[in-house]
C-alpha cells in the first residue's frame, strides 16, 4: 500500500528543488503579500485540542501506517475561515479571521476611508466578536435584521455556534435569544455556512454544513455513514430568532460529510437552491468496487424552503472529495456555473489507492440555464492539486471571471502541497490557464496549507485582492519535495509534499522531528496597472422600505449582469458565502477591459428585473431594488411609470438615493421599459 510513498520519500535529495513558474503573468498584474509583522499583521492560528492526539503519536517512536492514517487527527491546527465585510460602515472592506480555543478571533479594521491609504488595524476584542473560548471554524455574514449593517455567524467545533448582531460597528452576541435555535450547544464539527432567503420572506436564513468528529479519520477511510453529522437549516423568524427546520426541509435526507455550501438560483426560477460539497473519502467509488457517496449535491427549492435532491437529474454524478465553491458565469452564456475544489490528482496514487486522472480533480461545471450541469473536463490543466477555499473574481479586469483556489492538507504521513496556489485565468469561454507568474514571491507558498479564501478590493484601486488563512505551515528549513509522478500538465513539477513522517522499511513510520507551525494570514494586494477598467455595484434590497420590496437588505440572491459598450456580458450572483469556511465581499465587481461604460441589469430574487444605463468606468453604484419589472407585460406605460415613481419616492425618502440618483434610476427604468416593449 505504501510502496509509492516510500519511493517518493527515498528520492528526497534529488527532488528537493525550487519549483519553476512561467515568466510572464497572464493578466498583466501581480500579487504582493501585505500581511507582515511590519504592517501589524501578527495572526497565528491557535491549534485545536486535537493537536494533543497528534503530539502523542509523534512521541511514540515508530507507528504502523494504519495507526498513522486512522488515529492522526483531522485538522489538528483547526480549520480557519476569513470574511471580507464592511463592519463599521465606512465604505471599505475589513477582515475577520477565525482562530482556535483560547485565542481571540481577529478583526482587522481597514483604515483606507480614515487615512486615505490602505492599512489594517487590529481591533481589540474583535469589536465584541472575539469568540475567545471557541474552536472557531467557518464564518459567514449578512444583514439578518435588515437594518443596514452586516451581522456575523461564527461556527465552532464541539460547541455552540456564535451569532453576532452588528450594532453600529460593535457586535453583540444574540445566539441564545429566547425562542431561537441557532445557539444551541451541539456536538458537531461544522465546516462552512451560508446565508440566503430561502422562503422568500425578505429575511436571510442560514445553512450550516457539518462533517464528522475530527479526532479520527475513520469516517473518511472506513465508515461511510454512521459517523457523519447531519447538516442544519435555520429559518429566520424575525427579531433575530431562528428556527431549526433541518429535518422538515429535506436537507437531511442524506447524511453526507459536507465541507462547503453555496446557495443561489441554479435554475432561474426565482428562488434559491442549495449546492453542497461532499466527501467520498478514500472509500472506493462504485467503479472501483465500492459505492458512491461524495457528490456535489443539488437541493432544489420549491420556493417555500422545502428541498428535493435532484443531484443525478442535474448531471452531478461525478464523485469526489469536494470542499468549496466559486460561482459565476464562466463561459459567457448568461447562466451561473460553478467551480468546486477537490483533493487533486496526487494524494491517492501516493498511497497506492485505485485512481485514474480526473477522479479527484477540482473542476468547473457549466449550466445550461435549467440547472443541468455539464463537465467539460479541465483541458490543458490535465489535473489539479488539493483545494479548500475558492473564489470567482476578475483579477485582471478583462471582463471574464477567473478562479482562485488554495489548499493543502496535513494527512499524517505527509503534508500535501500539491496545489501551488491556483490562479486560473479565463479566456471568456471557460478555458483556463494556470497563472503562477502572477505571484511575486513575497509569500512562501510551498510551506502554506491555505484553508479559507476570500476576495474583494481592499485598497480601493479597482482591482480585486486575495485574502487567505492557513491552518498549518511547514518549517522553513524542511524542504517541500516535488511529486516524482503525476498526470502531467502545468501542475507537474510544481505539486509537492512535505514528508513529516519517514518510512522505516518495515512497515512503520517515524516522526521526522521537524515541527509543523501555526497557520498565518495572507493579504495579497493586486498590483493593478494593466490599463483595464472596472465598475463596482452594491445591491440594496428594499423589503420594509418600498411597498412591493421583497429582497433582503444586502441583495443576497440577486443575479447581476454587466454588458460592456462594444459587447460582452459578465454575470455573477450575490452570495452569502460559498468559498470554504469563508465569504467574499458582497460588492459585485466587474472588469470592463478597455471599455469605458456599459449597463447593469439586476435580476432580483423572485425575478424582478431593473436596469441602469450609462454606467461609467470607475463608478461605485449603489443599486436599490425597484419592485417594478421592466420586462413583463404591464397594462400601460403609465402604470409602469407610476410603480417606478412610487418606489423611487420611498427609496429616496429612506435616504438611499439622492435627488440626482433618483432621476437617473427613473430615466433608466423608463428606457428599459421602452426597449423591452
Amino acid at each position: 500500500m505504501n510502496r509509492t510513498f516510500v519511493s517518493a520519500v527515498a528520492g528526497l535529495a534529488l527532488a528537493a528543488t525550487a519549483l519553476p513558474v512561467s515568466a510572464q503573468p497572464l493578466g498583466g498584474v501581480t500579487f504582493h503579500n501585505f500581511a507582515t509583522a511590519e504592517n501589524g499583521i501578527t495572526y497565528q492560528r491557535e491549534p485545536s485540542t486535537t493537536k494533543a492526539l497528534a503530539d502523542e503519536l509523534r512521541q511514540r517512536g515508530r507507528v504502523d501506517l494504519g495507526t498513522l492514517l486512522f488515529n492522526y487527527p483531522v485538522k489538528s491546527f483547526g480549520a480557519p475561515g476569513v470574511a471580507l465585510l464592511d463592519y463599521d460602515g465606512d465604505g471599505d472592506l475589513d477582515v475577520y479571521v477565525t482562530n482556535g480555543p483560547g485565542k481571540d478571533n481577529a478583526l482587522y479594521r481597514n483604515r483606507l476611508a480614515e487615512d486615505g491609504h490602505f492599512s489594517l488595524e487590529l481591533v481589540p476584542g474583535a469589536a465584541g466578536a472575539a469568540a475567545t473560548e471557541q474552536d472557531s471554524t467557518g464564518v459567514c455574514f449578512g444583514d439578518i435584521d435588515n437594518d443596514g449593517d452586516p451581522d456575523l455567524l461564527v461556527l465552532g467545533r464541539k460547541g455552540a455556534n456564535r451569532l453576532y448582531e452588528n450594532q453600529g460597528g460593535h457586535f453583540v452576541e444574540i445566539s441564545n435569544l429566547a425562542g431561537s435555535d441557532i445557539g444551541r450547544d451541539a456536538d458537531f464539527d461544522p465546516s462552512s455556512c451560508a446565508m440566503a432567503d430561502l422562503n422568500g420572506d425578505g429575511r436571510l436564513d442560514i445553512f450550516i454544513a457539518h462533517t464528522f468528529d475530527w479526532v479520527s479519520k475513520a469516517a473518511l477511510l472506513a465508515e461511510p455513514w454512521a459517523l457523519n453529522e447531519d447538516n442544519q437549516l435555520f429559518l429566520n423568524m424575525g427579531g433575530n430568532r431562528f428556527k431549526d427546520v433541518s429535518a422538515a426541509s429535506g436537507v437531511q435526507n442524506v447524511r453526507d460529510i459536507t465541507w462547503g455550501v453555496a446557495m443561489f438560483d441554479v435554475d432561474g426560477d426565482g428562488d434559491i437552491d442549495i449546492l453542497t460539497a461532499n466527501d467520498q473519502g478514500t472509500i472506493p467509488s462504485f467503479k472501483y468496487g465500492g459505492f458512491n457517496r461524495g457528490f456535489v449535491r443539488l437541493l432544489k427549492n420549491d420556493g417555500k424552503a422545502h428541498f428535493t435532491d435532484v443531484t443525478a437529474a442535474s448531471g452531478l454524478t461525478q464523485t469526489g472529495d469536494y470542499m468549496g465553491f466559486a460561482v459565476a458565469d464562466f463561459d459567457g452564456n448568461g447562466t451561473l456555473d460553478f467551480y468546486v475544489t477537490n483533493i487533486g490528482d496526487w494524494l491517492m496514487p501516493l498511497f497506492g489507492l485505485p485512481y485514474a486522472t480526473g477522479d479527484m480533480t477540482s473542476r468547473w461545471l457549466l449550466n445550461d440555464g435549467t440547472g443541468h450541469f455539464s463537465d467539460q473536463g479541465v483541458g490543458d490543466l490535465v489535473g489539479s492539486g488539493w483545494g479548500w477555499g475558492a473564489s470567482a473574481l476578475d483579477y485582471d479586469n478583462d471582463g471574464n471571471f477567473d478562479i482562485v483556489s488554495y489548499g493543502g492538507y496535513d494527512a499524517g504521513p505527509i503534508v500535501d502541497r500539491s496545489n501551488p496556489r491556483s490562479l486560473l485565468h479565463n479566456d471568456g469561454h471557460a478555458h483556463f490557464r494556470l497563472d503562477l507568474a502572477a505571484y511575486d514571491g513575497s509569500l512562501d507558498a510551498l510551506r502554506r496549507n491555505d484553508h479559507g479564501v476570500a476576495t474583494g478590493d481592499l485598497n480601493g484601486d479597482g482591482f480585486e485582492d486575495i485574502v487567505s488563512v492557513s491552518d498549518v505551515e511547514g518549517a522553513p528549513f524542511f524542504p517541500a519535495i516535488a511529486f516524482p509522478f503525476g498526470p502531467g500538465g502545468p501542475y507537474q513539477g510544481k505539486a509537492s509534499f512535505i514528508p513529516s513522517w519517514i518510512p522505516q522499511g518495515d512497515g512503520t513510520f517515524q516522526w521526522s522531528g521537524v515541527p509543523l507551525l501555526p497557520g498565518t494570514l495572507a493579504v495579497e494586494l493586486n498590483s493593478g496597472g494593466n490599463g483595464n477598467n472596472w465598475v463596482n455595484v452594491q445591491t440594496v434590497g428594499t423589503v420594509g422600505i418600498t411597498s412591493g420590496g421583497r429582497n433582503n437588505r444586502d441583495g443576497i440572491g440577486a443575479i447581476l449582469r454587466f454588458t460592456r459598450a462594444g459587447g460582452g456580458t459578465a454575470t455573477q450572483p450575490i452570495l452569502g458565502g460559498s468559498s470554504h469556511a469563508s465569504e467574499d465581499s458582497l460588492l459585485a465587481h466587474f472588469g470592463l477591459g478597455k471599455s469605458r461604460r456599459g449597463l447593469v441589469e439586476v435580476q432580483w430574487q423572485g425575478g424582478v428585473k431593473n436596469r441602469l444605463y450609462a454606467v461609467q468606468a470607475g463608478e461605485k453604484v449603489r443599486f436599490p431594488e425597484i419592485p417594478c419589472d421592466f420586462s413583463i407585460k404591464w397594462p400601460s406605460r403609465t402604470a409602469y411609470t407610476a410603480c417606478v415613481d412610487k418606489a423611487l419616492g420611498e427609496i429616496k425618502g429612506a435616504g438611499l438615493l439622492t435627488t440626482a440618483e433618483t432621476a437617473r434610476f427613473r430615466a433608466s427604468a423608463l428606457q428599459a421599459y421602452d426597449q423591452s416593449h
Side-chain angles (χ1 to χ4, degrees):
M1 177 180 178
N2 63 339
R3 183 177 302 169
T4 307
F5 176 76
V6 173
S7 300
V9 177
L12 184 151
L14 295 176
T17 181
L19 304 182
V21 298
S22 55
Q24 297 296 325
L26 298 176
V29 301
T30 56
F31 289 89
H32 183 82
N33 182 36
F34 176 87
T36 63
E38 292 75 16
N39 288 327
I41 313 298
T42 58
Y43 172 90
Q44 285 192 324
R45 174 71 196 195
E46 186 70 15
S48 296
T49 56
T50 52
K51 181 176 180 291
L53 301 174
D55 290 340
E56 189 273 332
L57 283 179
R58 294 186 182 103
Q59 300 308 315
R60 282 191 194 182
R62 296 187 178 191
V63 298
D64 63 76
L65 182 61
T67 298
L68 191 53
L69 289 177
F70 274 86
N71 296 343
Y72 191 87
V74 178
K75 299 177 180 293
S76 62
F77 276 80
V82 63
L84 302 187
L85 71 166
D86 181 9
Y87 88 97
D88 53 0
D90 63 356
D92 53 34
L93 288 176
D94 310 299
V95 179
Y96 183 90
V97 56
T98 68
N99 214 321
K103 200 80 164 286
D104 285 0
N105 291 349
L107 176 62
Y108 289 95
R109 184 186 183 193
N110 191 339
R111 299 285 305 178
L112 178 64
E114 289 75 18
D115 302 335
H117 62 86
F118 171 72
S119 66
L120 292 174
E121 173 188 37
L122 184 63
V123 179
T132 307
E133 299 309 316
Q134 185 185 55
D135 187 357
S136 300
T137 59
V139 58
C140 57
F141 65 90
D143 189 353
I144 62 171
D145 48 9
N146 288 326
D147 66 350
D149 51 27
D151 308 299
L152 197 62
L153 176 64
V154 185
L155 305 182
R157 180 177 172 271
K158 299 303 182 190
N161 300 312
R162 307 283 182 90
L163 182 63
Y164 295 97
E165 181 190 2
N166 190 337
Q167 297 184 356
H170 182 80
F171 292 101
V172 175
E173 186 177 355
I174 56 170
S175 310
N176 296 307
L177 293 180
S180 184
D181 298 331
I182 194 74
R184 291 182 304 184
D185 200 27
D187 188 30
F188 288 134
D189 298 76
S191 55
S192 302
C193 59
M195 298 186 184
D197 178 9
L198 297 174
N199 58 359
D201 64 359
R203 297 189 291 259
L204 292 175
D205 309 304
I206 294 172
F207 185 99
I208 300 177
H210 289 129
T211 57
F212 57 92
D213 192 337
W214 296 351
V215 299
S216 166
K217 296 189 184 74
L220 295 173
L221 303 178
E223 172 50 60
W225 308 110
L227 300 178
N228 304 346
E229 299 167 354
D230 284 323
N231 295 324
Q232 289 180 296
L233 177 61
F234 296 89
L235 290 186
N236 189 335
M237 309 307 291
N240 291 332
R241 289 168 171 81
F242 289 81
K243 181 180 180 181
D244 187 342
V245 297
S246 307
S249 67
V251 304
Q252 291 183 342
N253 286 346
V254 178
R255 177 178 277 192
D256 290 315
I257 297 172
T258 305
W259 292 109
V261 56
M263 303 197 290
F264 61 99
D265 187 355
V266 169
D267 51 5
D269 65 353
D271 52 39
I272 304 300
D273 309 299
I274 301 175
L275 279 179
T276 60
N278 303 295
D279 201 337
Q280 178 75 20
T282 62
I283 293 174
S285 62
F286 181 78
K287 74 175 182 177
Y288 296 119
F291 53 87
N292 297 337
R293 66 167 184 170
F295 296 106
V296 172
R297 198 172 295 282
L298 176 54
L299 303 176
K300 180 175 171 55
N301 193 350
D302 70 353
K304 299 178 181 178
H306 300 125
F307 295 89
T308 302
D309 188 340
V310 295
T311 301
S314 301
L316 302 176
T317 56
Q318 169 70 45
T319 58
D321 291 354
Y322 298 116
M323 307 297 178
F325 296 104
V327 183
D329 176 14
F330 295 125
D331 58 354
N333 70 347
T335 65
L336 293 178
D337 313 309
F338 71 86
Y339 174 89
V340 61
T341 54
N342 209 330
I343 69 169
D345 294 280
W346 274 267
L347 192 69
M348 299 283 277
L350 182 67
F351 291 106
L353 296 170
Y355 190 78
T357 299
D359 285 349
M360 296 290 180
T361 304
S362 297
R363 60 208 324 114
W364 53 93
L365 291 101
L366 304 181
N367 190 345
D368 69 359
T370 69
H372 186 275
F373 292 89
S374 60
D375 183 351
Q376 306 293 313
V378 297
D380 293 340
L381 293 179
V382 183
S384 75
W386 187 300
W388 287 108
S391 179
L393 76 167
D394 184 356
Y395 74 94
D396 57 348
N397 283 349
D398 66 351
N400 305 314
F401 286 108
D402 312 302
I403 298 167
V404 60
S405 166
Y406 292 171
Y409 181 56
D410 176 13
I414 68 161
V415 179
D416 179 283
R417 292 297 310 118
S418 57
N419 185 349
R421 314 185 84 237
S422 300
L423 188 61
L424 302 180
H425 186 269
N426 188 4
D427 70 352
H429 303 286
H431 303 135
F432 292 90
R433 289 195 293 164
L434 183 63
D435 187 5
L436 287 181
Y439 299 111
D440 69 355
S442 58
L443 199 64
D444 188 353
L446 288 180
R447 296 196 302 113
R448 289 178 63 84
N449 257 19
D450 289 295
H451 198 268
V453 177
T455 60
D457 182 4
L458 290 167
N459 58 359
D461 67 350
F463 285 79
E464 291 179 281
D465 310 305
I466 304 169
V467 180
S468 62
V469 58
S470 58
D471 59 343
V472 69
E473 300 186 5
F477 49 83
F478 198 64
I481 303 167
F483 282 97
F485 59 86
Y491 287 89
Q492 193 69 44
K494 303 174 182 66
S496 63
F497 68 98
I498 299 172
S500 48
W501 291 74
I502 308 300
Q504 301 301 299
D506 60 356
T508 65
F509 288 74
Q510 175 77 46
W511 177 45
S512 68
V514 178
L516 296 176
L517 305 178
T520 61
L521 185 68
V523 178
E524 295 173 279
L525 297 181
N526 191 325
S527 68
N530 66 0
N532 286 342
N533 296 313
W534 54 275
V535 162
N536 286 336
V537 182
Q538 177 190 3
T539 52
V540 183
T542 61
V543 64
I545 292 176
T546 62
S547 303
R550 294 182 54 189
N551 279 253
N552 63 87
R553 196 68 74 243
D554 290 318
I556 290 173
I559 299 171
L560 277 70
R561 296 179 173 88
F562 189 93
T563 301
R564 302 184 297 278
T569 298
T571 305
Q572 65 176 302
I574 304 298
L575 296 172
S578 67
S579 177
H580 177 80
S582 302
E583 184 169 341
D584 299 326
S585 164
L586 291 178
L587 200 66
H589 179 90
F590 293 98
L592 274 62
K594 304 306 179 186
S595 295
R596 296 291 307 168
R597 66 186 183 281
L599 70 88
V600 177
E601 181 172 300
V602 180
Q603 180 178 321
W604 299 95
Q605 180 178 344
V608 170
K609 295 180 181 179
N610 299 153
R611 272 188 193 164
L612 184 64
Y613 292 85
V615 178
Q616 303 299 310
E619 272 201 78
K620 299 178 181 179
V621 177
R622 183 163 58 175
F623 201 127
E625 173 196 12
I626 304 169
C628 314
D629 188 345
F630 70 82
S631 68
I632 65 172
K633 184 177 181 179
W634 288 80
S636 66
R637 188 177 190 273
T638 300
Y640 172 75
T641 303
C643 178
V644 170
D645 286 342
K646 180 180 180 181
L648 286 173
E650 292 167 332
I651 294 167
K652 181 174 180 291
L656 296 178
L657 292 176
T658 66
T659 299
E661 290 168 338
T662 301
R664 182 187 186 190
F665 273 97
R666 183 181 191 275
S668 283
L670 297 183
Q671 182 178 349
Y673 178 89
D674 290 340
Q675 287 188 349
S676 179
H677 294 79

